[in-house]
Amino acid sequence: MAFAGSELRLLRAEPPMEAEAADAPPGGVESALSCFSFNQDCTSLAIGTKAGYKLFSLSSVEQLDQVHGSNEIPDVYIVERLFSSSLVVVVSHTKPRQMNVYHFKKGTEICNYSYSSNILSIRLNRQRLLVCLEESIYIHNIKDMKLLKTLLDIPANPTGLCALSINHSNSYLAYPGSLTSGEIVLYDGNSLKTVCTIAAHEGTLAAITFNASGSKLASASEKGTVIRVFSVPDGQKLYEFRRGMKRYVTISSLVFSMDSQFLCASSNTETVHIFKLEQVTNSRPEETSTWSGYMGKMFMAATNYLPTQVSDMMHQDRAFATARLNFSGQRNICTLSTIQKLPRLLVASSNGHLYIYNLDPQDGGECVLIKTHSLLGSGTTEENKENDLRPSLPQSYAATVARPSASSASTVPGYSEDGGALRGEVIPEHEFATGPVCLDDENEFPPIILCRGNQKGKTKQS
């Protein structure tokens, strides 16, 4: 099974898919990390601190390798890496209106852009780079950083909530269409045209994310109780999952697995939920031949006569798997990835730690915590002491596959530091585009400094 985060990232709450700690008390737990985000295929983790930012490789369970670290820009609150390339985008509280794009292996600045108000979030794939402000979105061509389109007068978006498909053959963009309801605007980042609007929720949106191919879009409202999945580009509802009923929560991240079989959601509670997107079959004739099948059919037919809210609740699917965190109330992001050939759940928290769980893709259930890494050291790891105290568990799939692999190399298809394929593996077709980004090509991203000042009026607007 191949896993990875599509949009994963922290959905601002989120930010998206980055978690900020600007409101945390100085020196408090929440101030350990100011932001954090997984890259597009979840092979790398980026964190921002008061001192600068760091990039980590996620190729091994036992070892957390620091790929790069920089203290040149202090007080970083947005840091995004383009897949496993050397391109990184950074925004600092010292200049919150300026986006800086770097080639970190060469130590050069590719370019910087300044905007009319504070930058709230950044999204990028191999074709487009999006800059989201509170009332506008700027769309850049990532190959030359030219500004292609400015979406003006969008509904107020104080958290910078937006999503960009990592499939640059369509580069779909999603953002809130209303400040008071859960309407989603679907926009084509390649043709630069609005595709449709989706009435996703009654309440205000809290999280949105695409799957890897850009064919599905998941969303959650500020209540955090129901998660819905829609088809793209027609916006038809495909799935509806119930995260819980007892209390409202703040969804902090929402992410698909790369094969779109699973959808993971984390919040400000101590539980991470993983839902399975199973194929729904309309005809099940074998059920009518049994008493249980007959009663089930009658029960579902009875829901047609119940109030809509009750009927909807009965049709909502529950979590396939869950993971228990040893904290709550802290901002966090989650992702599903394949590390050393096995499916894992990764959770990064603003307390400065990365938690790695085993996921049983057949039976689900409780995910097993197998490793805890500190993100504040120099790539060092700390053992998970709880594992030594936990009583022995039944030999489920998750427990059986917990043994670390002898090889520490990642087997996830993707791009290496120089833009080439990892170990000659096949790269998914949707990751190819005409003239792919090659960061070792001096002509592709020359180290230039340009485009200072307000971007309005320099391109097509809508």
Side-chain angles (χ1 to χ4, degrees), residues 50-285:
K50 294 290 184 181
Y53 71 91
K54 295 180 181 179
L55 305 176
F56 298 94
S57 172
L58 301 176
S59 60
S60 170
V61 170
E62 295 298 319
Q63 186 70 29
L64 184 65
D65 297 319
Q66 182 175 316
V67 177
H68 177 70
S70 173
N71 295 330
E72 295 182 3
I73 299 182
D75 212 4
V76 172
Y77 73 96
I78 293 177
V79 54
E80 296 284 346
R81 185 182 184 187
L82 178 63
F83 288 89
S84 294
S85 73
S86 298
L87 186 147
V88 62
V89 182
V90 180
V91 183
S92 168
H93 277 301
T94 59
K95 293 184 178 181
R97 297 185 178 188
Q98 179 173 299
M99 173 187 69
N100 303 280
V101 184
Y102 296 100
H103 190 302
F104 69 80
K105 289 189 71 176
K106 296 181 179 179
T108 56
E109 183 181 63
I110 295 172
C111 64
N112 65 68
Y113 280 75
S114 293
Y115 301 86
S116 58
S117 61
N118 291 355
I119 299 172
L120 300 181
S121 62
I122 302 285
R123 295 287 175 268
L124 60 164
N125 61 25
R126 292 193 175 93
Q127 196 75 22
R128 296 289 181 256
L129 185 151
L130 308 180
V131 179
C132 184
L133 312 185
E134 183 170 354
E135 295 183 346
S136 58
I137 297 176
Y138 294 83
I139 304 176
H140 295 262
N141 179 18
I142 201 169
K143 300 190 177 186
D144 55 15
M145 296 302 171
K146 289 183 179 178
L147 183 61
L148 301 176
K149 187 85 169 182
T150 306
L151 303 179
L152 299 175
D153 302 322
I154 65 174
N157 186 8
T159 63
L161 178 61
C162 67
L164 175 67
S165 167
I166 67 171
N167 180 0
H168 51 236
S169 66
N170 52 49
S171 292
Y172 286 123
L173 161 66
Y175 61 92
S178 171
L179 182 61
T180 57
S181 69
E183 182 180 273
I184 302 173
V185 176
L186 182 64
Y187 188 88
D188 190 323
N190 286 342
S191 66
L192 304 178
K193 295 180 180 179
T194 299
V195 178
C196 68
T197 58
I198 303 172
H201 302 269
E202 292 183 1
T204 306
L205 292 171
I208 47 178
T209 184
F210 288 98
N211 67 338
S213 64
S215 61
K216 295 181 178 66
L217 175 68
S219 65
S221 71
E222 287 187 342
K223 291 182 179 180
T225 55
V226 176
I227 296 171
R228 296 188 173 101
V229 179
F230 302 89
S231 60
V232 175
D234 56 1
Q236 297 298 310
K237 186 172 71 173
L238 301 176
Y239 302 90
E240 187 167 280
F241 302 104
R242 176 160 288 275
R243 196 212 56 80
M245 297 187 342
K246 295 181 180 179
R247 53 179 171 170
Y248 294 163
V249 302
T250 300
I251 299 294
S252 56
S253 67
L254 195 60
V255 60
F256 285 93
S257 60
M258 181 61 87
D259 57 13
S260 299
Q261 290 188 23
F262 298 95
L263 178 65
C264 181
S266 67
S267 66
N268 59 340
T269 69
E270 67 282 357
T271 305
V272 177
H273 294 78
I274 300 174
F275 305 95
K276 191 169 185 177
L277 282 68
E278 297 180 299
Q279 290 289 83
V280 179
T281 56
N282 293 326
S283 60
R284 305 177 75 176

